[in-house]
Amino acid sequence: MIKGLLRTVLIFVPVFLVATFVTFALRALSGLSPAHLQLGESATPEMVAQIEHEWGLDRPFLTQYFDWFGSVTRGDLGVSWFNGADIAQLLLSGAIVSLSVAGLALVIGVVFGFGFGVLAAARRTTWVDRAITGFMTFISVMPSFVVGIALVVVFAVTLGWFPSAGYVPAERGWAVWLAHITLPAIALSFDTVSDVARQLRSGLVAAYRENYVTGAVVRGLSPRRIFFRHVLRNGMGPALTVLGMKFPNLLGGAVVTESIFGMPGFGQFAADSAQRGDVPAVQGVLVVSVVLVVVFNLLVNVILVRVTPASARGV
């Protein structure tokens, strides 16, 4: 496990350095300036130069980058060009919303993905297996915004079971909080459910064909013990790997889903900042996204090492 963690950390360091450098280079490449955002078309060259001097944008590029990088490592993401607000605070409020939705979508993906995958593997080559595989293929090609609109029409407008839009913090009640994030989470989870189910089904079917499973059957072990002791542990690796790659998709899909459900989340904040040309806010979004994705993949790697014997051997 320690070797696996060290490998992940060693990968994270250069990825983070490259990601932050590219992120910071966005301002120079975009040609945007806080002067144009604050003054609009009335900005004169003298006024632009004055404001850029106040923001320190007239310094050499590498000097700006190292100052910004040092602030990022201390948790200071700067202030917004748009309203001068602290970006870390703005991102925190939006991240709570997005992580609530993405977290519930991940739970739905794990529960239903593992359930369908195990059932398909247990009934492999039967009509149940074919039906589950076909259904997983069908939901995998459904865009989240189409699913979200359909869910709103059916369960919010027609049946009135869930609110159609908005977000309520958990402090105001767990039930109302869960009601507001359920439909967005379901809309985001379809792709995760399908990929986890198909990968788990393939991994379990391959594990059933291994010699150690045949030996366990010959020794007279019960089917339940064979499945949980040998098949599941050795066959769930691909599904866990796919699960690690799905987290960035959940964060990216939040942009569209939050727009449909009117949620002031991480994705909506990123989209609004990009449309306004608020470069520091966009840079903060990208940095936090990189950190979240790497941390989540680190957790997945830890689970892989603990659960699957092949990963523990570095295979």
Side-chain angles (χ1 to χ4, degrees), residues 141-153 187 190 256-257 260-261:
V141 299
M142 297 181 65
S144 59
F145 73 91
V146 174
V147 178
I149 293 173
L151 292 174
V152 170
V153 172
F190 272 36
V256 178
T257 306
I260 294 173
F261 290 93

Side-chain angles (χ1 to χ4, degrees), residues 46-67:
E46 294 77 13
M47 298 170 68
V48 170
Q50 180 182 353
I51 292 180
E52 289 188 348
H53 177 73
E54 293 174 356
W55 285 86
L57 301 179
D58 54 351
R59 297 176 299 164
F61 174 80
L62 290 179
T63 302
Q64 296 181 51
Y65 169 71
F66 286 119
D67 287 347

Side-chain angles (χ1 to χ4, degrees), residues 33-40 80-83 275-280:
S33 169
H36 296 97
L37 188 63
Q38 296 173 8
L39 303 176
S80 169
W81 284 356
F82 178 68
N83 54 16
Q275 291 174 355
R276 289 193 295 257
D278 193 351
V279 175

Side-chain angles (χ1 to χ4, degrees), residues 92-102 163-174 176-182 184 258 261-265:
L92 179 61
S93 59
I96 292 175
V97 178
S98 295
L99 289 178
S100 299
V101 176
S164 60
Y167 176 79
V168 174
E171 293 81 5
R172 295 176 54 183
W174 288 94
V176 67
W177 168 77
L178 187 61
H180 279 80
I181 67 173
T182 298
E258 289 168 4
F261 290 93
M263 307 183 77

Side-chain angles (χ1 to χ4, degrees), residues 100-306:
S100 299
V101 176
L104 182 57
L106 202 63
V107 171
I108 295 172
V110 170
V111 172
F112 286 93
F114 271 70
F116 282 123
V118 169
L119 182 59
R123 299 290 186 266
R124 56 194 178 279
T125 71
T126 67
W127 69 269
V128 175
D129 181 19
R130 290 190 291 271
I132 291 176
T133 302
F135 180 65
M136 293 299 107
T137 303
F138 172 72
I139 67 174
S140 68
V141 299
M142 297 181 65
S144 59
F145 73 91
V146 174
V147 178
I149 293 173
L151 292 174
V152 170
V153 172
V154 175
F155 294 101
V157 177
T158 304
L159 299 176
W161 292 354
F162 295 94
S164 60
Y167 176 79
V168 174
E171 293 81 5
R172 295 176 54 183
W174 288 94
V176 67
W177 168 77
L178 187 61
H180 279 80
I181 67 173
T182 298
L183 293 185
I186 293 175
L188 275 178
S189 68
F190 272 36
D191 188 55
T192 303
V193 170
S194 63
D195 283 354
V196 169
R198 288 183 293 184
Q199 291 296 326
L200 182 62
R201 186 260 181 202
S202 299
L204 295 180
V205 170
Y208 268 117
R209 296 171 180 162
E210 296 292 339
N211 292 331
Y212 55 79
V213 175
T214 304
V217 174
V218 172
R219 292 199 306 270
L221 298 181
S222 65
R224 180 184 297 271
R225 184 176 181 183
I226 291 174
F227 177 76
F228 286 103
R229 182 83 177 183
H230 300 284
V231 176
L232 184 60
R233 289 190 63 191
N234 290 280
M236 67 190 305
L240 289 176
T241 302
V242 167
L243 197 62
M245 295 187 294
K246 283 299 171 184
F247 188 69
N249 294 345
L250 294 176
L251 288 179
V255 177
V256 178
T257 306
E258 289 168 4
S259 298
I260 294 173
F261 290 93
M263 307 183 77
F266 193 75
Q268 189 63 44
F269 173 77
D272 293 341
S273 299
Q275 291 174 355
R276 289 193 295 257
D278 193 351
V279 175
V282 175
Q283 291 173 338
V285 168
L286 294 177
V287 169
V288 172
S289 298
V290 170
V291 172
L292 288 176
V293 170
V294 171
V295 169
F296 184 79
N297 278 276
L298 177 62
L299 294 176
V300 171
N301 289 339
V302 172
I303 296 173
L304 273 170
V305 172
R306 293 289 296 177

